[in-house]
């Protein structure tokens, strides 16, 4: 009887060990692939054509706002930040803007030509339509899902 109990324990122990091995190795592979394919951003910066920082969102904290006059077009470059606040290089990701009132300001993603050599991050065009204020949400999309979504909507003031 004691022999049967020990034999049954060995089978359960082997089953548990195999299960733990499979779970451990599958999690390691998933983390490795995640790091290679996705942008792990903790914020972003919007800079004007002169390289001056207009707006910053980092770990939920915000500084600045986008302001322009009716009829003006503001060109902004978007730079995503890592957990230390340093710029992250990202490729083949799509920038998406949403939730803005196009009656006050049109916010559109700048299209880049295939042969452009100097491409330092994504770009936005903000066009002042009428006086007022609005805002927009910024997302960095990858393979049909957002790798990053702004935690706050970016404020836009049109004078």
């Amino acid at each position: 009887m004691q022999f049967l109990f020990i034999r049954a324990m060995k089978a359960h122990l082997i089953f548990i060990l195999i299960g733990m091995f499979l779970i451990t190795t599958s999690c390691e592979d998933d983390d490795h692939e995640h790091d290679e394919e996705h942008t792990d951003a903790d914020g972003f910066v919007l800079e004007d054509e002169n390289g001056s920082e207009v707006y910053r969102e980092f770990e939920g904290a915000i500084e600045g706002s986008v302001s322009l006059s009716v009829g003006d077009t503001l060109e902004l470059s978007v730079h995503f930040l890592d957990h230390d606040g340093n710029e992250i290089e990202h490729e083949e990701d799509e920038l998406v803007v949403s939730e803005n009132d196009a009656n006050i300001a049109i916010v559109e993603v700048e299209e880049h030509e295939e042969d452009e050599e100097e491409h330092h991050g994504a770009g936005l065009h903000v066009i002042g339509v009428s006086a007022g204020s609005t805002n927009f949400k910024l997302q960095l999309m990858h393979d049909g899902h957002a790798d990053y979504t702004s935690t706050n909507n970016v404020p836009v003031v049109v004078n």
Side-chain angles (χ1 to χ4, degrees):
M1 179 128 134
Q2 186 178 14
F3 180 70
L4 290 174
F5 177 73
I6 292 173
R7 191 174 195 184
M9 287 296 294
K10 285 183 184 179
H12 287 333
L13 183 61
I14 290 172
F15 179 75
I16 290 170
L17 290 174
I18 289 172
M20 288 175 54
F21 175 76
L22 291 174
I23 290 171
T24 303
T25 57
S26 67
C27 289
E28 287 176 8
D29 290 343
D30 183 47
D31 289 343
H32 181 71
E33 289 175 12
H34 185 271
D35 290 341
E36 286 182 9
E37 296 177 7
H38 298 279
T39 302
D40 186 20
D42 288 319
F44 66 95
V45 172
L46 300 178
E47 293 180 350
D48 64 14
E49 294 173 285
N50 300 322
S52 298
E53 187 175 296
V54 174
Y55 181 86
R56 171 185 285 262
E57 176 180 294
F58 182 64
E59 296 180 338
I62 58 171
E63 294 177 23
S65 67
V66 176
S67 60
L68 67 160
S69 298
V70 174
D72 285 352
T73 299
L74 185 60
E75 293 189 30
L76 300 172
S77 60
V78 182
H79 305 278
F80 289 92
L81 306 173
D82 66 12
H83 68 279
D84 292 324
N86 299 318
E87 185 177 347
I88 298 173
E89 294 293 327
H90 61 91
E91 294 181 27
E92 298 182 29
D93 295 329
E94 178 185 5
L95 193 61
V96 174
V97 294
S98 61
E99 299 183 19
N100 72 297
D101 184 351
N103 293 316
I104 296 173
I106 297 170
V107 182
E108 58 189 18
V109 176
E110 180 182 8
E111 298 294 327
H112 289 283
E113 300 295 324
E114 292 277 331
D115 59 346
E116 279 190 55
E117 288 183 29
E118 206 167 308
H119 179 231
H120 301 291
L124 297 176
H125 291 158
V126 182
I127 304 164
V129 176
S130 64
S133 62
T134 184
N135 54 55
F136 65 92
K137 182 175 288 291
L138 185 69
Q139 292 183 306
L140 183 63
M141 302 297 288
H142 179 83
D143 287 339
H145 67 276
D147 274 359
Y148 179 80
T149 301
S150 58
T151 55
N152 301 287
N153 284 0
V154 179
V156 177
V157 177
V158 180
N159 301 311

